[in-house]
Each structure stands twice: as C-alpha cells, then as structure tokens.
Amino acid sequence: MEVLSENQSFGGRQTVYKHPSESCGCEMTFAVYTPPQAKDGPVPVLWYLSGLTCTHENAMTKGGFQEHAAKHGLAIVFPDTSPRGEDVANDEAYDLGQGAGFYVNATRDPWQPHYRMYDYITEELRGLVISELKLADRHGITGHSMGGHGALTIAIRNPDMYDSLSAFAPIAHPTQSDWGRKQLSAYLGDDEGCWAAHDSTLLLEEHGWKGELLVDQGASDQFLELLQPEALAATMARRRQPGELRMQKGYDHSYFFVNSFAADHVAWHAARLS
C-alpha cells in the first residue's frame, strides 16, 4: 500500500492509501481513521460506505466522524464508491459508472471487468485493513444513500461478518426505484430475480437482521421518492425487526444531515463492538 497523505486528528491518525486491487482490476484509494486507542492494540472497525458521486474523501472531510471515533476507540474505513481509471467503463450520467458502483459485482459488459465492489468491500479491502493495519476482526457497517443501501445489503447477506448495522438515508427499495432499476439492470441484466440480493427491503423481509437496526432519514430529503424509507419501515414493522427508523424533521440529504447524527451512529456501533 502507498500512503498518499497522513494527518493527526483528535489524537489519532487520518490516513489515505492507494493500492492495486485484484477485485476491481485497477488502483483503488481508501481512507482510514485510527483512534488514539490503536496505539495500545487492535481496535474494532466501522465501515462507512459513501453515496453517489462520492469518493473516499467526502465523508472523511465532511462527516465529522473522527472526533466521535476517537472518543469511542473505533477505527473508521472510508472506501471509494467505484473503480477508477481511464480503462474503467464510465457513463455521462452521474448515477451510473464511476462514482456509482452500487456495491454489486457486475455481470454485464462493459462493467463486469472492474465493477466488483461487493467483493472488494467484503473480501479484499477487509482482509487488507486487518492484516496490514492490524485492526481487530470486529466490524460494524454504515453508509449514506447509495452507501446506506450497500451497508444494509452487505450486512444482511453476511451476518457473520458484521456485528452492528446502521444507515443514513439509504436507497431502501432499489428494485422499485429509479435509483436502482437503472443501475441493477445495467450491471446485472434484465432478470429482476437477480436484483433481490441487492434490495435491503426484500432482504430484510426474507432474512431479518440478527441485531438491532438504526436508520436515520431526513424528513425534508429532496430524494425521498427515490429512497423509499416507508418500504423499509413497513418491513421492519411486519417482521417485528428490533431497531429504529427515525424521521428527522427539517433535515435534507446533505452531509449536514450526516454530520448532525454521526455521533449517534458511532456510539451505536461502539456499544455493539466493544
């Protein structure tokens, strides 16, 4: 791994790395915040998956997570949202291609050679941060928007790999939303039966989640019709899934919303990972 930058933050270190990715077939960049407690031994890991158009940098600089992670002794990993590079397929639209990997393994061309973000997050990068950065093999996962979709679907599909789960304004029912149908058909094909494995509402209906679930959603979010939190809430109620889906009055879809509730989510994960 190549260190691109390193800064002290709240007694810990905020570092940005670059490495060649076997999963994505290109160089990938990610950021890790290690709290001051990491000096005394391995600390648990909170994964933060970002949304459409984002890189590793957006939440790292705008989310305000470092102060809370330092308080609770958690490392936070900020992956990129897609493969990058001149030979990586892209699209002129902001919601497809680079910056919009949707945390799936693409099976259709031209996306299939590089767009394998599911494997990258769950296998390659996970192994890298544990072995190279000496972090504990105890993991929570969260994310915002497309990243909230990624966090929910990845954790529900892999309950043995994650011990805590939350989301900020997730794309909750992508098989029934324009933020989902477009991307899932492009990456996975027109067989909608293959899409269900990447829809948190459908996955929760079928499998449930082993612990409590925390979801925050801005009530003034300009993308509510695309996110469909009511579908996830109805499934939580129907399955009697322990947890909370909180509609936060006046909040939109921005990082001001994420920053406002970052402390709650870090504390939520710390309580379940300690």
Side-chain angles (χ1 to χ4, degrees), residues 38-69:
K39 299 172 184 176
D40 300 321
V43 296
V45 185
L46 175 58
W47 294 79
Y48 180 95
L49 306 186
S50 290
L52 288 167
T53 74
C54 292
T55 69
H56 68 280
E57 187 174 13
N58 298 74
M60 180 185 79
T61 59
K62 298 179 182 179
F65 288 94
Q66 291 87 348
E67 179 179 5
H68 314 302

Side-chain angles (χ1 to χ4, degrees), residues 30-35 43-49 59 64-66 68-70 72-79 121 125-126 129 135-143 151 161-168 261-273:
F30 68 99
V32 180
Y33 177 73
T34 50
V43 296
V45 185
L46 175 58
W47 294 79
Y48 180 95
L49 306 186
F65 288 94
Q66 291 87 348
H68 314 302
H72 293 284
L74 293 184
I76 303 188
V77 178
F78 303 95
I121 297 297
L125 189 56
R126 179 187 178 99
V129 300
L135 300 177
D137 194 7
R138 300 198 306 279
H139 305 263
I141 190 167
T142 188
M161 296 173 64
Y162 301 93
D163 293 311
S164 57
L165 173 60
S166 74
F168 299 82
F261 299 99
D264 288 358
H265 284 249
V266 172
W268 171 276
H269 287 276
R272 289 154 180 80
L273 294 172

Side-chain angles (χ1 to χ4, degrees), residues 95 196 217 221 263:
D95 58 353
Q217 171 63 61
D221 193 316

Side-chain angles (χ1 to χ4, degrees), residues 175-246:
T175 62
Q176 301 302 316
S177 168
D178 288 342
W179 271 0
R181 296 186 63 83
K182 172 183 178 180
Q183 295 83 0
L184 294 174
S185 62
Y187 295 142
L188 304 177
D190 296 329
D191 181 2
E192 297 189 18
C194 298
W195 301 359
H198 302 284
D199 186 309
S200 58
T201 294
L202 299 180
L203 286 169
L204 191 67
E205 181 75 59
E206 182 176 358
H207 302 289
W209 167 246
K210 64 179 183 179
E212 296 175 291
L213 177 63
L214 174 63
V215 177
D216 274 310
Q217 171 63 61
S220 297
D221 193 316
Q222 60 270 45
F223 302 115
L224 271 176
E225 294 301 317
L226 294 166
L227 302 172
Q228 299 194 24
E230 66 278 5
L232 185 64
T235 298
M236 289 178 66
R238 186 163 52 249
R239 278 198 58 105
R240 300 181 181 178
Q241 170 65 47
E244 298 180 72
L245 194 155
R246 310 188 301 191

Side-chain angles (χ1 to χ4, degrees), residues 83-104:
R84 309 271 178 178
E86 293 183 2
D87 62 338
V88 175
N90 199 11
D91 191 273
E92 293 183 358
Y94 75 95
D95 58 353
L96 187 68
Q98 295 187 33
F102 260 75
Y103 304 100
V104 303

